[in-house]
Amino acid sequence: MSEPALRVEPGSSEEALLRQIDRSRMPRHVAIIMDGNGRWAGKRLLPRIEGHRAGVSAVRETVESAARLGIEVLTLYAFSIENWKRPRHEVWTLMNLLKEFLRREIRTLVDNDIRLHILGRWRELDPSVVATLEEGLAKTAGGRRMVFNIALNYSGRCELVDACRKLVADAAASPARAIDEAAIADAL
């Protein structure tokens, strides 16, 4: 079997930098809110879409770097419910960039033992996006090196609503007085 694509070349400057990192001080989970791609493009007098394309490249580099550093969980907050307010063409482009990214990078995730996990109300997205996400989830289900979360169609309020609905649905098995902070945390 060939060596995974995310390995560092022996003797490289990257290997020297990695040796300087105190792994005991590394966080287990890193979360990133993807924001500013449109502003990045605007400062360069480029269309907003070019900023989103640059963001996709940054995602690939971020996933690779997190895996190299031994981060256990990487969460990217990629598309919130608020993002539906963007122009229709921009939303369409973002969804197509997501599909393109997954199709292009899924082999790298599999080869490097990275499990994809999707957060949010992603099943409400366009069926073509859902199908691509489900394929990625299935292909990476056995990944143990790192969990790569992508939050799509999410919001904090929706997460609370979904957790409350789950708790109410489970109320038949558990009395209402059993709903406490721990139960809510488990349902989130």
Side-chain angles (χ1 to χ4, degrees), residues 3 16 33-34 38-39 70 76 78 83 85 120 123 136 146 156 170 173:
E3 200 170 66
I33 298 171
M34 296 181 64
R39 288 185 298 279
L76 296 183
N83 290 145
K85 295 176 184 173
R123 293 187 186 278
M146 184 175 84
D170 294 344

Side-chain angles (χ1 to χ4, degrees), residues 102-116:
L102 286 173
R103 288 183 185 128
R104 193 176 61 239
E105 302 298 335
I106 202 70
R107 181 82 258 154
T108 300
L109 296 176
V110 171
D111 288 347
N112 290 283
D113 207 22
I114 297 171
R115 180 169 43 103
L116 178 65

Side-chain angles (χ1 to χ4, degrees), residues 76-81 95 98 102 118-123 125 129 133 150-155:
L76 296 183
Y77 289 89
F79 189 87
S80 73
I81 286 177
M95 292 300 136
L98 172 64
L102 286 173
I118 309 298
L119 307 172
R121 293 180 174 180
W122 62 275
R123 293 187 186 278
L125 298 174
V129 175
L133 292 169
I150 304 176
L152 298 167
N153 202 28
Y154 70 90
S155 82

